[in-house]
Amino acid sequence: MYRFLFSSKWLGYFVLAVIFAAGCVFLGRWQMDRRAETLAEINRVVTNYSATPIPFSAAKAEFQSLNPEREWTQVELHGRYDTSGQRVVRNRPLNGQPGYEVVVPFRLSSGEAVVVDRGWLPIGNNTPGHPDSIPAPPAGEVTVVARLKASEPDLGRGAVDGQLASIDLPSFATELGYPILTGAYGQLATESPAVQSMPAPFPKPATDEGTHLSYSLQWFAFGVLMFVGFAYAARQQARNAQIDAEDEDEEISALPRRTAPAPRKSKRPTAEEEEDAILDAQGY
């Protein structure tokens, strides 16, 4: 019944099914990898975001080269803002609104310098490409609690004076007259003393893992359904072939049967017929 599966046509169908299923498995695994990355980020947020701040001395190595597991860790810093090195970072949307972020070098009492991202500003209405105003940081000695964030990549495009295309710390360091730690920067949580007008604070990162799991299961299901569809099509093909064979047998059995022809009579007369013919001829 299933010999047709070895035909070139059905072997081609099978190869296509295997290719499709392999693609589904690849996409499903990709979604699982994305989910693993999301869960790792959620775990970092849950563990580090609201934990007790640690002193700079315990986090100095992270500012030099950030361990991804320490991202969002709160660090307490003591020192002064260097407003002369303040920059605005372009193209930083927040909650769907275009805007900027304000980064300021922070010179610690211990002599090192780090970068603090003080918050978000909306786009301006007065001068295109610039915020209307940039709130000044507190003057004098300040205590800052900031969350660790990794340095961003160089986007390969420039920006106008006083602005940055990204928080690429090595590039930013070349614009300052003193060295800064370039492995990580701090995203502002609190500062004391605080100023009345300041950039908008950043919202807490989402801890929803999203739809990666459901998408991955859907892709795996599509791969399985491809073989289910192939098996169903093969079963239907075999069933149709069986029905056609049964119909052909019924047509053959319904044809009228041929009867054997009656034996032909011999034209040569028998001995009795010859004897009767002689007697008839003699008048008997």
Side-chain angles (χ1 to χ4, degrees), residues 183-195:
Y185 67 95
Q187 193 178 86
L188 182 64
T190 63
E191 58 187 8
S192 179
V195 292

Side-chain angles (χ1 to χ4, degrees), residues 23-218:
C24 290
V25 170
F26 172 80
L27 292 173
R29 290 178 63 87
W30 176 70
Q31 286 289 347
M32 292 297 288
D33 291 341
R34 291 286 304 277
R35 179 174 182 261
E37 294 173 359
T38 302
L39 291 177
E41 175 65 15
I42 291 173
N43 182 64
R44 285 193 290 269
V45 171
V46 172
T47 303
N48 301 333
Y49 191 85
S50 299
T52 302
I54 63 175
F56 172 77
S57 59
K60 182 177 179 179
E62 304 303 330
F63 278 100
Q64 293 171 332
S65 179
L66 179 62
N67 180 350
E69 296 302 321
R70 302 297 299 277
E71 188 177 17
W72 301 111
T73 297
Q74 296 195 106
V75 182
E76 187 174 291
L77 309 172
H78 301 279
R80 295 171 176 265
Y81 283 110
D82 177 17
T83 55
S84 65
Q86 178 174 273
R87 299 290 188 274
V88 172
V89 188
R90 300 173 57 85
N91 300 320
R92 311 295 280 202
L94 180 66
N95 297 327
Q97 298 296 319
Y100 311 88
E101 292 178 20
V102 182
V103 293
V104 189
F106 190 83
R107 308 193 72 166
L108 292 106
S109 303
S110 58
E112 295 89 348
V114 299
V115 173
V116 174
D117 187 346
R118 296 193 65 238
W120 181 85
L121 296 174
I123 59 174
N125 297 318
N126 300 328
T127 305
H130 296 267
D132 288 340
S133 63
I134 304 175
E141 290 290 329
V142 184
T143 297
V144 168
V145 174
R147 297 183 175 93
L148 291 173
K149 292 286 291 177
S151 175
E152 298 176 357
D154 182 2
L155 300 181
R157 59 173 181 262
V160 299
D161 290 341
Q163 297 189 3
L164 302 174
S166 68
I167 309 179
D168 174 25
L169 297 178
S171 297
F172 185 21
T174 62
E175 300 183 14
L176 304 173
Y178 50 87
I180 60 174
L181 300 179
T182 58
Y185 67 95
Q187 193 178 86
L188 182 64
T190 63
E191 58 187 8
S192 179
V195 292
Q196 289 297 105
S197 178
M198 62 184 300
F202 297 102
K204 183 178 180 179
T207 54
D208 181 11
E209 68 175 82
T211 57
H212 299 302
L213 179 59
S214 61
Y215 283 161
S216 64
L217 294 178
Q218 288 177 16

Side-chain angles (χ1 to χ4, degrees), residues 246-269:
E246 291 175 355
D247 291 343
E248 186 177 351
D249 291 341
E250 290 178 0
E251 291 177 0
I252 293 176
S253 62
L255 292 175
R257 295 181 178 274
R258 293 184 178 181
T259 56
R264 297 176 62 185
K265 292 184 178 181
S266 175
K267 294 182 179 181
R268 184 177 179 179

